[in-house]
Amino acid sequence: MAIADDLRRQITSGDLVAGAVLPSEADLAGSYGVSRVTVRKALELLRQEGLVGSRQGFGWFVAVPVVRRSLGTLSTIEADLAAQGREPVRKVLSFRFRDGELEVVRVNLADGQPFALVTVWCPEELGRSLSRDDVERSTFYDLLPVDLVSVDQTIRAAAADERDAEVLGIPPGSPLLVALRISRDAAGKPFLRSEHRFPAHLTEFVLEGGP
């Protein structure tokens, strides 16, 4: 099938990278001059080969291993990616002090592709000694003179807005998993707040173990 052959070539050559969102079935049908039924058959063939996947409300994307993030352990994005054999990189988008806090916005990359849009807030008295290069190179947990003891985490679903779409390379309105975290020290005092925005096709949260 010509459509499957062309998409397969783009995927295996790296023109379409792992995790990349494919055009909609309607757009593909228009590009190739065929019906959506024909496009769907081509995509299903590629799914059987393990080259593409789909999620309800998201559409089709180049297959990529989903990163499992445990709710029962204190772990960073970098550690979770490295554990799966992925190359983690962070890129700081903004670094500023306001309202008594250091606010850092960054994008986390996995094998060079956007994986998460993260905003971190740190009290100014803790963050004033940090630089943009510091927080791009290392995690706050490694940089701050505070021992992480516990994390409160809330996870909700959301739809990607224009900023999410631009940074994460996904269509506006795509489903996201949003994790809101409060990191606490040994006295139970919060020393970091953060918001992590993940495209829903790239990650999942799991709670392992039992009573």
Side-chain angles (χ1 to χ4, degrees), residues 64-116:
V64 61
V66 173
V67 175
R68 293 168 61 86
R69 309 211 64 210
S70 175
L71 294 174
T73 59
L74 304 179
S75 180
T76 64
I77 293 175
E78 289 81 3
D80 289 340
L81 289 172
Q84 191 169 306
R86 312 282 295 279
E87 181 185 3
V89 173
R90 57 177 56 214
K91 180 180 179 182
V92 172
L93 304 180
S94 71
F95 179 98
R96 62 179 178 174
F97 290 91
R98 68 171 188 171
D99 301 328
E101 291 183 310
L102 168 61
E103 179 189 86
V104 176
V105 180
R106 73 173 190 262
V107 58
N108 281 77
L109 308 176
D111 298 330
Q113 300 304 310
F115 175 75

Side-chain angles (χ1 to χ4, degrees), residues 32-46:
Y32 288 102
V34 297
S35 69
R36 288 186 62 175
V37 172
T38 300
V39 168
R40 174 62 67 87
K41 289 180 179 179
L43 293 171
E44 290 293 351
L45 176 62
L46 295 176

Side-chain angles (χ1 to χ4, degrees), residues 15-22 58 60-64 113 169-170 201-202:
D15 291 338
L16 288 172
V17 298
V21 179
L22 299 179
F58 199 95
W60 293 88
F61 54 89
V62 180
V64 61
Q113 300 304 310
I170 57 178
H201 70 301
L202 297 181

Side-chain angles (χ1 to χ4, degrees), residues 119-183:
T119 304
V120 181
W121 296 272
C122 172
E124 185 173 356
E125 62 268 23
L126 286 176
R128 65 167 59 99
S129 64
L130 302 180
S131 69
R132 185 185 184 111
D133 288 342
D134 288 334
V135 297
E136 189 162 79
R137 181 176 57 251
S138 302
T139 71
F140 275 90
Y141 297 145
D142 291 331
L143 294 168
L144 296 179
V146 181
D147 291 330
L148 170 66
V149 173
S150 65
V151 171
D152 300 332
Q153 187 161 227
T154 302
I155 300 170
R156 62 180 176 84
D161 59 23
E162 293 293 337
R163 183 188 70 157
D164 298 325
E166 180 179 359
V167 174
L168 297 173
I170 57 178
S174 298
L176 301 175
L177 294 175
V178 180
L180 306 175
R181 299 183 61 162
I182 298 176
S183 301

